[in-house]
Amino acid sequence: MFDSLDRLPPDPILGSMAAYRADADPAKVDLGVGVYRDERGETPILAAVKRAEASVLAHQTTKSYVSSIGNAQFNRALEELTLGVEHPALAGGQVRTIQAPGGCGALRLGAELIKAADARSVVHVSTPTWANHTALIGGSGLKLANYVYYDAARGGLNFEGMMAALGKLPSGSVVLLQACCHNPTGVDLTDAQWRALLPIFKRGALLPFIDMAYQGLGRGIAEDTFGIRLFAAELPEVLVAVSCSKNFGLYRERTGALHVIAASAGAADKALSQLARIARTIYSMPPDHGAAIVQEIMGNDALRTEWLGEVGVMRARMTGLRNEFVQQLSASCPQRDFACITRQFGMFSLLGINTAQVHAMRVAHHVYMTDDSRINIAGLRAGNLAYVARAVAQVLRERAQ
Ligand SMILES: Cc1ncc(COP(=O)(O)O)c(C=O)c1O
């Protein structure tokens, strides 16, 4: 049976990771993989996570099953982190949450829920979007389409184009948005732009499906949820896929959740019952450990304060790196304006170089990024910023587009 299968090429990111590992050049720089790195180039376990984990292990008395919906206290803590404790949808009993195996699991659960409600739904994603969105959502069988988003010439948002595209969607369409730290562009909606989108969603009865994988790493914990909180207060239905991989550094523990905000408590209960069935038919129960750690942090004032401080450090490091990198780029490459990188948020930006130039960065300079020229800002550090900027300048000179 298996011999008849086609052998698939390796995933491009995993392939680039392997090439980076095999590269013996001491100057090599990995800007490809989407994980946070500190000044030493490491992806550390947060101190708050270490402490919470010790407490979980000391107090845990059983490894028996939890449930398909997961850890109820974790789910509640994430609802409050996403929506704020006093959100009207929480007060109105319209929010239900299912714990998920990471943000990816949450995205797939959301897609399966949409399919259960209406299998003809089309999910509209930004151009460009994170490659896995297409795989995770399309894998459910739902159709995908694109809407205008990134303005490559300015390294900003084509907001007029986006509004016009969303304004034309058939009633009931699903629109996938990213709450903050847009992957791969770093280009986020401002509060005013979220407000301006609201009437379009109301008029078109569009369903916002909001992916939040970087809460706290853009403008701040509450600031990064502006659009979610606004839409959840003003629209009858919203789906939010949350990941704890980056802001809690829990990547391999597969920790996340899907929030459903429905028009009534009854509708929310129906959606949750479907989600429990969906989870049951895919993986049955989510992994417990990461959620237990998050629950511990959120339920303990000292741990929570420590965690907020650590998220603040990650955020400040990336803002600082963006500014320093742009300074180095302007020094090495004055003919091109890279200032848009300082106006973007989170871990990613697109350098705006072509595939041949990305290849030259890898082969001639040992600097690794994805083929679309997405760089992980956190892969930069004081010791390699100037080197990467000089490499970009040289590649642009030698291989003009
Ligand atoms: C935009 C976006 N959504 C969701 C995720 C989900 O991550 P995970 O499944 O590791 O929690 C990621 C991770 O890179 C992401 O970049």
Side-chain angles (χ1 to χ4, degrees):
M1 187 182 281
F2 305 137
D3 202 35
S4 66
L5 291 171
D6 292 330
R7 189 191 180 104
L8 297 177
D11 177 280
I13 294 210
L14 299 182
S16 148
M17 272 166 83
Y20 174 79
R21 270 197 301 271
D23 188 334
D25 195 289
K28 67 181 178 178
V29 182
D30 179 16
L31 304 180
V33 184
V35 298
Y36 177 79
R37 292 188 203 280
D38 64 15
E39 188 51 39
R40 288 175 307 161
E42 281 159 20
T43 305
I45 303 177
L46 300 187
V49 165
K50 267 280 186 210
R51 249 184 277 285
E53 187 166 47
S55 169
V56 166
L57 292 176
H59 298 112
Q60 200 168 51
T61 53
T62 177
K63 294 284 186 192
S64 176
Y65 294 120
V66 181
S67 87
S68 293
I69 283 157
N71 173 336
Q73 283 160 289
F74 163 83
N75 288 343
R76 182 70 195 180
L78 275 205
E79 284 171 3
E80 292 180 353
L81 198 59
T82 300
L83 292 169
V85 192
E86 291 179 353
H87 197 279
L90 283 175
Q94 296 150 258
V95 186
R96 298 291 178 279
T97 297
I98 181 165
Q99 187 187 319
C104 289
L107 285 163
R108 183 55 170 263
L109 285 171
E112 297 287 348
L113 178 69
I114 293 164
K115 193 173 92 176
D118 184 350
R120 293 160 308 170
S121 302
V122 178
V123 181
H124 299 261
V125 300
S126 63
T127 307
T129 198
W130 182 43
N132 263 4
H133 281 146
T134 322
L136 286 164
I137 296 170
S140 71
L142 288 178
K143 283 212 171 59
L144 288 144
N146 287 91
Y147 61 83
V148 176
Y149 190 81
Y150 186 58
D151 174 355
R154 288 189 302 118
L157 182 63
N158 178 354
F159 190 58
E160 289 70 35
M162 178 183 186
M163 296 240 287
L166 298 186
K168 281 195 255 162
L169 295 184
S171 173
S173 298
V174 182
V175 181
L176 188 86
L177 297 157
Q178 296 189 40
C180 58
C181 307
H182 186 272
N183 184 359
T185 67
V187 172
D188 286 349
L189 293 159
T190 62
D191 293 358
Q193 287 167 336
W194 281 105
R195 277 200 201 90
L197 281 183
L198 191 56
I200 296 178
F201 276 77
K202 282 190 177 164
R203 222 178 297 126
L206 307 178
L207 173 70
F209 185 3
I210 309 182
D211 183 12
M212 180 163 66
Y214 302 91
Q215 184 181 9
L217 298 180
R219 293 183 293 157
I221 291 283
E223 291 83 347
D224 289 345
T225 66
F226 180 85
I228 295 176
R229 293 182 186 186
L230 175 73
F231 277 27
E234 295 285 334
L235 296 174
E237 295 180 339
V238 182
L239 281 177
V240 186
V242 176
S243 164
C244 301
S245 299
K246 316 287 155 101
N247 55 0
F248 287 89
L250 284 169
Y251 307 84
R252 67 170 67 161
E253 302 295 354
R254 312 308 302 132
T255 313
L258 181 77
H259 304 305
V260 183
I261 295 104
S264 67
D269 283 334
K270 288 182 189 171
L272 188 65
S273 73
Q274 290 285 338
L275 286 167
R277 171 193 61 79
I278 292 162
R280 197 92 180 110
T281 57
I282 310 177
Y283 54 80
S284 191
M285 317 253 174
D288 176 65
H289 192 63
I293 291 170
V294 171
Q295 179 203 333
E296 185 72 23
I297 294 173
M298 290 295 114
N300 176 309
D301 283 344
L303 285 177
R304 189 187 172 99
T305 306
E306 183 173 27
W307 169 69
L308 287 171
E310 293 187 282
V311 174
V313 168
M314 292 194 263
R315 180 171 65 241
R317 174 172 145 71
M318 289 191 287
T319 310
L321 283 169
R322 284 180 177 277
N323 292 330
E324 287 166 42
F325 188 44
V326 169
Q327 276 177 22
Q328 294 290 343
L329 284 169
S330 347
S332 304
C333 218
Q335 72 282 13
R336 184 144 162 177
D337 183 11
F338 285 98
C340 59
I341 293 177
T342 60
R343 296 189 290 272
Q344 298 163 357
F345 292 97
M347 286 194 357
F348 303 115
S349 282
L350 293 173
L351 261 189
I353 61 175
N354 64 32
T355 325
Q357 291 166 333
V358 166
H359 189 70
M361 287 291 289
R362 193 178 307 162
V363 174
H365 301 282
H366 312 274
V367 178
Y368 293 73
M369 66 191 75
T370 51
D371 282 350
D372 57 358
S373 83
R374 188 194 76 171
I375 55 167
N376 175 7
I377 296 290
L380 295 166
R381 44 194 149 125
N384 67 23
L385 273 166
Y387 172 77
V388 175
R390 281 197 304 274
V392 173
Q394 192 174 332
V395 161
L396 284 176
R397 246 191 338 268
E398 288 171 3
R399 293 172 179 266
Q401 315 221 20

